[in-house]
């Protein structure tokens, strides 16, 4: 009955590979997000997406792309992985209002 | 654009002692304000939020926060800390017009001594 679930929890991969992280929410929320948390715990918004609008943080490289097959899923696809992509990636969801987020437990990505 | 500052990177308290974590924001109007807690290896959990009205808000786990417009602050407090409160705490501020995607502070790590 997990509200926001991400898979995998850990991902170790080589530079240059392409990988995806999956996210699903069962809260009926309108909007989903991807955040990147770096080694200093700084959280940076990458994308927000609802059925009306995709908002992209302009600092995110175009190697990162969100893919949403339906309202309950927002997957993150990363092409040509680089060492600097190593981080913890969090999925979150909310109603289409400033009501606070529900976060997943994160995916720790390590690029070697 | 809004911004948020958490001036303390680490805070150490003894179990049973009171706690105050500082948060200062920058925004041209009254923003939306949040506190989240992150336990090791976990995602962030919403502790409390302020949108309007009573400036003292109560949250989960015995936490409260007070919005002070004159000081642009939203400090988190707890009267008696438990060892299980050891975690990372994030303050976040959201704009009240247009996109309200919050901006997070850099977090304060709370260490609790027995």
């Amino acid at each position: 009955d997990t509200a926001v679930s991400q898979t995998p929890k850990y991902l170790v991969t080589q530079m240059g590979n392409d990988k995806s992280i999956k996210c699903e929410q069962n809260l009926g929320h309108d909007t989903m997000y991807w955040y990147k948390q770096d080694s200093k715990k700084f959280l940076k918004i990458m994308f927000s997406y609802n059925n009306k609008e995709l908002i992209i943080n302009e600092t995110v490289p175009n190697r990162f792309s969100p893919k949403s097959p339906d309202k309950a899923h927002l997957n993150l696809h990363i092409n040509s992985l680089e060492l600097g992509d190593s981080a913890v990636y969090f999925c979150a969801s909310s109603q289409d209002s400033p009501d606070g987020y529900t976060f997943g437990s994160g995916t720790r990505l390590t690029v070697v | 654009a809004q911004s948020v500052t958490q001036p303390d990177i680490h805070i150490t308290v003894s179990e049973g002692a009171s706690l105050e974590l500082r948060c200062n924001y920058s925004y041209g109007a009254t923003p939306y304000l949040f506190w989240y807690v992150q336990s090791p290896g976990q995602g962030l959990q919403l502790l409390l939020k302020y949108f309007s009205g009573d400036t003292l808000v109560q949250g989960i786990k015995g936490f409260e926060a007070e919005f002070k417009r004159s000081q642009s602050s939203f400090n988190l407090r707890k009267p008696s800390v438990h060892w299980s409160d050891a975690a990372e705490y994030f303050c976040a501020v959201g704009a009240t017009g247009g996109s309200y995607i919050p901006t997070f502070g850099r977090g304060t790590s709370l260490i609790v001594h027995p």
Side-chain angles (χ1 to χ4, degrees):
Chain A
D1 60 345
T2 304
V4 179
S5 60
Q6 295 178 229
T7 54
K9 191 169 179 64
Y10 300 96
L11 182 54
V12 181
T13 187
Q14 292 186 325
M15 284 175 52
N17 284 350
D18 302 339
K19 290 293 178 184
S20 292
I21 305 171
K22 296 184 177 181
C23 179
E24 175 181 4
Q25 56 98 1
N26 62 6
L27 299 166
H29 284 169
D30 300 315
T31 306
M32 297 181 72
Y33 312 82
W34 278 105
Y35 275 84
K36 179 181 181 181
Q37 187 175 48
D38 64 21
S39 58
K40 296 186 178 180
K41 299 289 182 94
F42 181 57
L43 274 161
K44 185 175 86 169
I45 182 74
M46 301 178 72
F47 305 100
S48 76
Y49 182 79
N50 61 27
N51 59 4
K52 291 172 279 188
E53 189 176 20
L54 171 65
I55 300 174
I56 302 171
N57 184 325
E58 61 188 15
T59 67
V60 175
N62 58 15
R63 298 181 295 104
F64 291 79
S65 57
K67 298 185 189 302
S68 180
D70 56 57
K71 180 180 171 181
H73 297 83
L74 183 65
N75 303 326
L76 181 65
H77 190 75
I78 315 169
N79 289 329
S80 304
L81 277 155
E82 300 177 357
L83 293 176
D85 298 332
S86 296
V88 181
Y89 292 84
F90 286 100
C91 178
S93 71
S94 71
Q95 287 292 66
D96 194 16
S97 66
D99 208 27
Y101 292 175
T102 301
F103 279 84
S105 57
T107 296
R108 181 174 294 278
L109 172 65
T110 304
V111 183
V112 297
Chain B
Q2 68 271 25
S3 66
V4 59
T5 301
Q6 294 180 247
D8 303 307
I9 297 175
H10 303 284
I11 290 280
T12 301
V13 299
S14 298
E15 192 169 14
S18 63
L19 170 70
E20 182 168 31
L21 301 181
R22 296 185 290 165
C23 173
N24 294 97
Y25 69 88
S26 175
Y27 184 63
T30 300
Y32 300 124
L33 294 161
F34 309 86
W35 275 101
Y36 286 84
V37 60
Q38 183 181 24
S39 298
Q42 299 298 315
L44 281 73
Q45 180 183 21
L46 181 65
L47 283 175
L48 45 79
K49 60 195 176 192
Y50 174 79
F51 292 165
S52 64
D54 192 347
T55 56
L56 183 64
V57 293
Q58 302 297 320
I60 62 171
K61 304 182 186 233
F63 286 92
E64 67 177 26
E66 186 171 13
F67 169 59
K68 292 186 177 180
R69 185 191 309 275
S70 61
Q71 298 176 19
S72 297
S73 70
F74 189 58
N75 294 349
L76 182 71
R77 300 194 295 248
K78 186 170 185 178
S80 177
V81 169
H82 188 263
W83 63 267
S84 60
D85 293 323
E88 194 84 18
Y89 290 81
F90 293 90
C91 181
V93 58
T96 51
S99 170
Y100 35 71
I101 295 175
T103 298
F104 284 82
R106 288 192 167 268
T108 297
S109 179
L110 175 64
I111 301 164
V112 180
H113 281 168

